[in-house]
Amino acid sequence: MTFLIKGETETWEVVIGLEVHAQVTSEAKLFSGAPTYFGADPNSQVSFVDAGMPGMLPVINEICVEQAVRTGLGLKARINNRSVFSRKNYFYADLPQGYQISQFDLPIVGKGTIVLDMPDGVSREIGIERLHLEQDAGKSIHDLHPSKTFIDLNRSGVALMEIVSDPDMRSPEEAGAYLRKLRSILRYLGTCNGNMDEGSMRCDANVSVRPQGEEGLRTRCEIKNVNSIRFVMQAIEYEARRHVDVYESGGEISQETRQYDSNNGETRSMRSKEMAHDYRYFPDPDLLPLVFDDDYVARIKATLPELPDEKRERFISEYGLTAYDAGVLVVERETSVYFEDVAKDRDPKAAANWVISNLFGALNKMGISITDSPITADNLGKLIDLITDNTISGRIAKDVFEIMLEEGKGPDAIVEEKGLKQITDTGPIEDAIGQVMADNPGKVEEYRGGKDKLIGWFVGQVMKQTGGKANPGKLNELLQKKLAP
Ligand code: MN
C-alpha cells in the first residue's frame, strides 16, 4: 500500500514514526499507593508523593514493572535486565515535582516488532525502538473559568508505558493499522485498556517527507497527543501535504511540536522542538536501578496468553478460515472466544459467516460490544444447528435471528412459538403448487411455451403461500415436475 504525494517537481513519500503513551493497567500509581479510577472527582486520588510534597519518597509499584515486561514480551522485544529511572526536568503547573520520573538511556524494554496485516493482503513489519516506564503529569483545565486554570492531579504519577516505533510507516493507513494492532495486543495482554477517548492511550506522530527514492530522513515535526486513530491518520496526511508545500515553494521545515485541531483538520505550531539536553536528564537518586534475572522474565513469559498473530494463524489452519475472516475475528479477544464457542462441533465457516456478516453488523447498528450481545454464542450455535438439521431454511433463520436480537430468546422457542418449522412433507407443498398453478393459468402457459425464467416467479409464489416455510430443495424439485408440459 503506497501513499505518495504528487508535487509540482517531485513525487514525495511520507515517513512516520509513532510514540504511544499507554496507561498501565494497575490499581495504584507507579510510585505511590493512590488509586487510578477513571472519572473520579478531581484531586480525590492524590497522595503526598503525587503532589510533589517536599521530602516524599517514591516507592516502585512492582505490578507496573511486571506489566511493562509483559508488554515487552508481547511485542517480541528484548527485555533489559537492568534499567534506570531518570529525572526529566521541566516546569509546568501540573507537574508539581518540577520533573517527570522517566527512563532515558536505559529503558526497561529494547527493540521489538509489530506485524501489520494490511487490507491488500500484504504484511508489514514495523520496528519497536523501545518501551520505557514513566509517570504521567496532572491535568490543566482551562475551560472552567475565563481567567483561571484549574489543576487536577488525579493523573499525576499514574504509570505510563511510552512505546516508540521506528520511522517505518509510509502511509496514514499503516499508522492506523499500527495503532489498532498495538491496542489489540495491549488488550490481549491486559496491560492497558487502550481506550483512546479516556486518554488511556495517546499518540504522538512524527512526520517527515522526502522525494521518492531519497535516502536519509528530512526534518520531522511531532504532532502531540492525538486522541483517536482517525484523527492521527488525518493529522499525518495534513502534515505531510504541508511539508510538501513548504519544500516545493523553496522553504525549509523547522523541527517543532505541533497540535492537531480536529475541528478544521489542520495542525498548528505549539513550540519549537526541545532537545534531550534541554531536560537535563540524570538518574533519579531516590530510586535504585531495576534489576531482574532471567527466571523472573521466564515466569512472566509463561503466563502470556495466545496473542492475535498466533490466534489468527491457528484460525486459518484449524478452521480453514480465510486470512481476512480470521484477522477480523481475532482483533478483540472477546470476539475470538465468542466465535470459538459458536464453531465448536459445527461448520466453522458457517459460524464465521454468522458472526461476521450478521452479528457484527447488528451490534454495530446497536452501538454495543460483543460482551453485551443479546444473542449468546450458545443460542447462535443452536440457530446454525436448526439450519443444518433442516428444521428451518436459511431464509427463515435470518428472521429468527432478528427476533433473537430483539427478544434475547433462544431460537428453538421462537421457531416453536411462531410455527416456523420448515415444511418438508410432499403433500402440503404439492397443494400449494396446485393452488398457484390454478390461480395463474396464463403464467403456466408461458412457462410451458419456453419462458424458463418464470420458474423463479413460481418459487416466490409458492413460498408466499407457505409463509416461507417450504424446504427450498423440495419445492424446486416438485415444481419442476408439476410444471413440466
Ligand atoms: Mn513520554
Side-chain angles (χ1 to χ4, degrees), residues 354-413:
W354 275 95
V355 172
I356 296 172
S357 311
N358 301 84
L359 186 67
F360 281 3
L363 294 179
N364 262 339
K365 244 187 248 162
M366 299 164 82
I368 58 176
S369 71
I370 196 143
T371 41
D372 299 321
S373 169
I375 301 180
T376 62
D378 194 38
N379 279 338
L380 186 57
K382 281 184 187 152
L383 180 65
I384 296 171
D385 291 341
L386 291 178
I387 306 165
T388 311
D389 68 16
N390 273 321
T391 305
I392 56 174
S393 66
R395 235 199 51 174
I396 291 285
K398 299 230 158 91
D399 297 341
V400 175
F401 179 85
E402 291 301 323
I403 301 170
M404 288 166 77
L405 266 183
E406 273 165 38
E407 303 181 2
K409 273 190 223 157
D412 296 302

Side-chain angles (χ1 to χ4, degrees), residues 11 104 135 210 277 307 416 435 446:
T11 297
F104 183 51
Q135 49 175 198
R210 63 186 175 195
H277 61 249
L307 291 169
E416 195 63 45
Q435 188 65 49
E446 280 182 59

Side-chain angles (χ1 to χ4, degrees), residues 21 88 100 132 134 162:
H21 284 90
K88 180 179 183 182
Q100 177 193 31
H132 69 248
E134 63 184 26
E162 182 174 321

